[in-house]
């Protein structure tokens, strides 16, 4: 299965931008839905964005104006603009090979349930 290694988190002031990166280490050629979600301690996981193996993307409605998912061959990115203090969270890169490369809004955005995730990278936004 694919392995994921995130980087790019840090501290930023409100209104600033950050780009998170996620290197994909693929053990096989199996296609996967790739995505990002975040978690604040004590709260439920929040789906952010997902990209299927054909490059089609989907976003959480509340975030799509400010966040952009993209990829190169072996790296997944999350560009975050206009950051707000409420964006403070641990951010995870994730993958799901179960749907042969397709993404499902309920499974990957509404209630993110990715079997494979990276170690997470912390984003802190100060006011």
């Amino acid at each position: 299965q694919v392995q994921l290694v995130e980087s790019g988190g840090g501290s930023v002031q409100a209104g600033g931008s950050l780009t998170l990166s996620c290197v994909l280490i693929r053990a096989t050629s199996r296609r996967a839905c790739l995505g990002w979600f975040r978690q604040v301690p004590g709260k439920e996981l929040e789906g952010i964005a997902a990209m299927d193996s054909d490059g089609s993307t989907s976003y959480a409605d509340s975030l799509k104006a400010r966040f952009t998912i993209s990829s190169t061959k072996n790296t997944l990115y999350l560009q975050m603009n206009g950051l707000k203090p409420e964006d403070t969270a641990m951010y995870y890169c994730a993958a799901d090979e179960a749907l042969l490369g397709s993404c499902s809004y309920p499974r990957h955005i509404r209630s993110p349930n990715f079997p494979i995730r990276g170690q997470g990278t912390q984003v802190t936004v100060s006011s």
Side-chain angles (χ1 to χ4, degrees):
Q1 65 181 24
V2 65
Q3 294 180 325
L4 309 167
V5 180
E6 301 115 331
S7 62
S11 297
V12 63
Q13 289 191 329
S17 299
L18 279 176
T19 299
L20 306 183
S21 300
C22 175
V23 175
L24 315 175
I25 303 170
R26 301 179 186 269
T28 70
S29 61
R30 293 179 64 180
R31 295 182 295 173
C33 170
L34 303 174
W36 294 91
F37 66 90
R38 65 188 184 184
Q39 186 171 29
V40 175
K43 294 189 176 181
E44 294 186 352
L45 303 182
E46 182 179 13
I48 300 171
M51 176 182 288
D52 69 20
S53 59
D54 293 327
S56 297
T57 58
S58 55
Y59 292 89
D61 289 341
S62 62
L63 299 174
K64 63 183 178 181
R66 299 187 294 119
F67 289 22
T68 303
I69 189 172
S70 63
S71 72
T72 59
K73 181 177 180 180
N74 292 313
T75 305
L76 186 71
Y77 300 96
L78 183 67
Q79 173 69 41
M80 305 184 292
N81 299 322
L83 284 163
K84 305 175 181 179
E86 51 264 43
D87 293 320
T88 295
M90 184 70 78
Y91 284 70
Y92 294 90
C93 171
D96 186 355
E97 299 173 333
L99 302 182
L100 303 180
S102 295
C103 296
S104 161
Y105 191 91
R107 178 184 176 98
H108 299 122
I109 300 293
R110 184 179 301 139
S111 299
N113 183 19
F114 289 89
I116 305 165
R117 65 178 65 175
Q119 80 281 5
T121 187
Q122 178 68 37
V123 172
T124 302
V125 185
S126 58
S127 57

